[in-house]
């Protein structure tokens, strides 16, 4: 069914960190309106599509998005409003062509992705199907993803001394999505008690995880295993497994990894991960090495790939060409999927198809700066990719996504869990 857009409008609003982002609303000819909220990262990969910021130091420290909003309300609206749009690809390709840069730097990836997400919702509405079904490619089985709850925050997401950015718990063994969410919330509560008992502050980082003043990642892992056990679950792939996102690009300087006061080579770092995988139920490591340490990534994948999921985030930036390079060079064995890293829903689905076709695992992801938009819950479900990370089971913008999954499951029984 073709789409005719009657109106398109972007407004500068706030994200979950209190920084400006875009809310895009799209009006159909029959008067119905759909919206999209644009996410924003803090530990971004250098090859991500470019988020357009005003750079005016008088407003929001230069982070305003009035220029990007003006691009939606001006050039993009002129391009799309009143035209017969055959499908989502037509919408996205028109914007990519009009932008004319390889990185969406002129119109802004934040402007383009907001319109792309709203357009996907408009097509779903026209087809009278839920968004997850619209996003489900032909031949794939929709599936509720195993949630990866980020319960301890460090790195650039928290003001503590912890170098690793994310410690996630993943109820891989849960029978249903609702039970997985319950497990995540119960372990989160048990973790709060453990931390408080040990005298740590239980304030939260950007993604809703606790941000204790613990320095060594192994000490966090010990506490996590205790919290899983306290809550009555078994640590491991049959129960609750652990996933890490060290976001190593952030602590890689001058060819060395700086972790808990130590300066480590790539091989030292790989050995450290190997010891963690031996000792703790760590099933997945994202950005274990830096985005410009491809040789290290290849050695990491050789060493740990057979038994550990190794997810490229900064390394691969959801870009089909870069993911293809990762596949060819055997650097990583899974891709993190973030809509705004590549800038359109169409390209995101293309990257996901590439992973599916080559047997790579994939995990859909929020950004550290989020809105109440729940698009990624539908994306992870419709594509059947099996994994979603969207922060702690706390903070409204994170919980909104988990709640959306619960609602999808309540409306339609779908298989649950990692593939
Ligand atoms: P970001 O972090 O959204 O701040 O980039 C998330 C991640 O590294 O996965
Ligand atoms: Zn990451």
């Amino acid at each position: 069914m073709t789409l005719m857009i009657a109106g398109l409008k972007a407004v500068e609003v706030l994200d979950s960190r209190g920084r400006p982002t875009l809310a895009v609303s799209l009006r159909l000819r029959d008067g119905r309106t759909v919206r999209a909220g644009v996410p924003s990262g803090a530990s971004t990969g250098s090859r991500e599509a470019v988020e357009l910021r005003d750079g005016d130091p008088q407003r929001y420290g230069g982070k305003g998005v009035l220029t990007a909003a003006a691009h939606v309300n001006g050039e993009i609206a002129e391009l799309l409003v009143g035209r017969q749009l055959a499908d989502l690809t037509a919408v996205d390709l028109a914007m990519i062509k009009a932008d004319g840069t390889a990185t969406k730097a002129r119109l802004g990836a934040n402007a383009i992705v907001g319109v792309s997400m709203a357009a996907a919702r408009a097509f779903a509405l026209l087809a009278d199907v839920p968004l997850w079904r619209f996003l489900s490619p032909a031949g794939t089985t929709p599936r509720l993803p195993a949630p990866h709850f980020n319960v301890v925050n460090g790195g650039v997401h928290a003001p503590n001394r912890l170098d690793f950015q994310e410690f996630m718990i993943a109820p891989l063994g849960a029978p249903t999505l609702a039970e997985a969410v319950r497990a995540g919330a119960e372990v989160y509560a048990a973790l709060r008690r453990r931390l408080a008992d040990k005298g740590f502050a239980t304030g939260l980082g950007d993604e809703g995880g606790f941000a204790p003043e613990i320095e060594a990642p192994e000490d966090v892992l010990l506490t996590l295993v205790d919290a899983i056990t306290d809550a009555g679950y078994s640590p491991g792939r049959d129960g609750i497994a652990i996933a890490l996102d060290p976001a190593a690009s952030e602590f890689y300087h001058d060819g060395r990894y700086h972790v808990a006061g130590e300066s480590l080579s790539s091989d030292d770092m790989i050995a450290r991960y190997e010891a963690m995988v031996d000792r703790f139920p760590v099933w997945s490591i994202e950005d274990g090495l830096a985005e410009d340490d491809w040789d290290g990534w290849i050695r990491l994948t050789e060493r740990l790939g057979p038994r550990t999921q190794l997810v490229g985030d900064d390394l691969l930036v959801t870009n089909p060409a870069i993911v293809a390079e990762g596949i060819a060079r055997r650097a990583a064995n899974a891709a993190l999927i973030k809509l705004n890293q590549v800038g359109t829903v169409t390209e995101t689905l293309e990257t996901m198809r590439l992973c599916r076709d080559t047997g790579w695992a994939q995990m859909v992801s929020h950004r550290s700066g989020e809105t109440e938009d729940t698009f990624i819950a539908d994306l992870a479900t419709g594509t059947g990719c099996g994994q979603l990370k969207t922060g702690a089971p706390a903070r409204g913008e994170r919980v909104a996504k988990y709640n959306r999954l619960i609602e999808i499951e309540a409306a339609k029984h779908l298989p649950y869990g990692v593939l």
Side-chain angles (χ1 to χ4, degrees), residues 59-304:
R59 300 187 70 254
Y60 291 115
K63 291 189 183 300
V65 292
L66 293 179
T67 320
H71 285 160
V72 173
N73 300 334
E75 207 175 321
I76 296 176
E78 270 163 42
L79 183 71
L80 299 177
V81 172
R83 253 179 66 184
Q84 294 282 354
L85 299 158
D87 52 24
L88 184 60
T89 308
V91 173
D92 289 345
L93 287 182
M95 290 192 287
I96 290 168
K97 191 164 163 236
D99 171 74
T101 70
T103 53
K104 302 183 176 66
R106 195 180 70 78
L107 292 173
N110 42 352
I112 291 173
V113 82
V115 174
S116 180
M117 290 161 71
R121 284 208 167 96
F123 278 107
L125 212 54
L126 287 176
D128 200 21
V129 294
L131 181 60
W132 60 266
R133 190 170 289 290
F134 171 75
L135 294 171
S136 189
T140 56
T141 309
R143 183 175 193 86
L144 289 151
H148 284 61
F149 300 100
N150 180 9
V151 293
V152 174
N153 294 183
V156 298
H157 292 171
N160 54 4
R161 286 177 302 162
L162 188 57
D163 300 299
F164 280 21
Q165 182 179 282
E166 302 174 19
F167 294 77
M168 291 169 273
I169 48 168
L172 304 186
T176 62
L177 179 278
E179 287 297 296
V181 171
R182 179 167 79 93
E186 289 175 358
V187 174
Y188 184 73
L191 179 61
R192 175 187 274 118
R193 283 193 295 274
R194 274 259 162 201
L195 291 171
D197 285 351
K198 289 186 184 175
F200 290 113
T202 51
L204 305 185
D206 287 356
E207 297 188 350
F210 302 111
E213 277 299 345
I214 300 177
E215 195 172 11
E218 291 81 359
D219 291 340
V220 177
L221 289 168
L222 273 172
T223 312
L224 276 185
V225 170
D226 285 342
I228 292 169
T229 314
D230 287 351
Y233 294 91
S234 64
R237 292 189 196 195
D238 296 338
I240 302 188
I242 295 175
L244 298 174
D245 177 8
S249 304
E250 299 290 335
F251 54 81
Y252 184 64
H253 308 291
D254 305 322
R256 308 285 292 180
Y257 292 91
H258 300 271
V259 178
E262 290 180 62
S263 162
L264 305 172
S265 68
S266 303
D267 289 320
D268 296 338
M269 205 63 222
I270 293 169
R272 183 108 177 221
Y273 289 131
E274 194 162 29
M276 286 184 206
V277 170
D278 285 341
R279 189 172 161 210
F280 300 103
V282 172
W283 93 281
S284 175
I285 304 173
E286 175 188 330
D287 280 358
L289 296 176
E291 63 171 72
D292 45 6
D293 185 10
W294 277 76
D295 292 339
W297 267 97
I298 292 163
R299 292 200 302 282
L300 172 70
T301 309
E302 246 171 49
R303 273 279 275 286
L304 284 183

Side-chain angles (χ1 to χ4, degrees), residues 41-43 157 165-166 245 286 313 336 338 367-368 389:
S43 68
H157 292 171
Q165 182 179 282
E166 302 174 19
D245 177 8
E286 175 188 330
D313 171 13
L336 200 73
K338 291 169 166 169
R367 300 305 303 245
S368 50
K389 71 163 192 174

Side-chain angles (χ1 to χ4, degrees), residues 316-332:
L316 305 171
V317 294
T318 316
N319 184 308
I322 305 174
V323 171
E325 192 184 342
I327 292 167
R329 294 178 65 185
R330 293 174 202 271

